[in-house]
Amino acid sequence: MGQARDVMDRLTAAITTADPKGIAELYAQDAVAVTPDGGELHGRDDITAYWRQMAEMIPDGRYESVHSYEVGNTAIDEGFFTGRNTGPIQLPTGETLPATQKEIRIRGVDFATVDDGGHIVDYRLYFDEMEFLGQLGLLPPA
């Protein structure tokens, strides 16, 4: 196992245990992350805040790995994020919705590129945001 794989595995553990300090330590100060629901995030603090909101929204979040790879200095994971929405939902507008108490199971893929110092400098997360909102019961009836 190389450095990128180790860092990605530590990030997954920090996210699922809601460890903001552990998450922050894994990102470079000037890291960039791209997410479906948060857009492009710049810097360790904004990225850590994104994960903190996710942990508050789904505090019992778990990750089930389907595939994991390492190519050079980039780790790639595919899997399912599952849990129950028991915390407030932060919207991009700044509004907050109450918890839906709904279970979610979302397939996602993430990429983490790591520098020589063992910090994530570029992070990409992909999941179907409409499926996520649908499972939360936040989409209008079809």
Side-chain angles (χ1 to χ4, degrees):
M1 172 172 58
Q3 179 173 293
R5 178 79 263 143
D6 177 61
V7 170
M8 179 73 100
D9 291 345
R10 290 180 12 225
L11 176 64
T12 300
I15 290 168
T16 57
T17 60
D19 176 10
K21 182 179 176 198
I23 292 168
E25 290 172 352
L26 294 170
Y27 283 94
Q29 189 65 37
D30 60 350
V32 174
V34 178
T35 69
D37 53 340
E40 190 168 301
L41 308 168
H42 294 270
R44 174 187 296 159
D45 294 341
D46 287 349
I47 297 167
T48 302
Y50 170 83
W51 288 118
R52 185 178 302 115
Q53 287 178 354
M54 184 66 75
E56 290 171 0
M57 185 171 62
I58 304 171
D60 69 342
R62 297 169 308 284
Y63 180 74
E64 303 165 24
S65 178
V66 175
H67 297 286
S68 60
Y69 306 97
E70 183 177 48
V71 180
N73 65 343
T74 300
I76 306 160
D77 280 345
E78 176 187 3
F80 289 93
F81 182 74
T82 61
R84 180 181 294 276
N85 170 227
T86 58
I89 301 167
Q90 292 287 333
L91 300 177
T93 61
E95 297 173 83
T96 302
L97 297 177
T100 65
Q101 305 302 319
K102 303 241 185 217
E103 290 282 338
I104 59 111
R105 179 175 166 84
I106 303 298
R107 180 185 291 267
V109 175
D110 55 340
F111 297 77
T113 301
V114 177
D115 66 13
D116 290 338
H119 293 99
I120 299 168
V121 292
D122 185 63
Y123 180 81
R124 310 283 167 167
L125 173 64
Y126 300 95
F127 63 85
D128 185 333
E129 189 174 7
M130 294 302 283
E131 180 181 9
F132 182 53
L133 292 172
Q135 288 184 22
L136 289 173
L138 299 177
L139 294 178

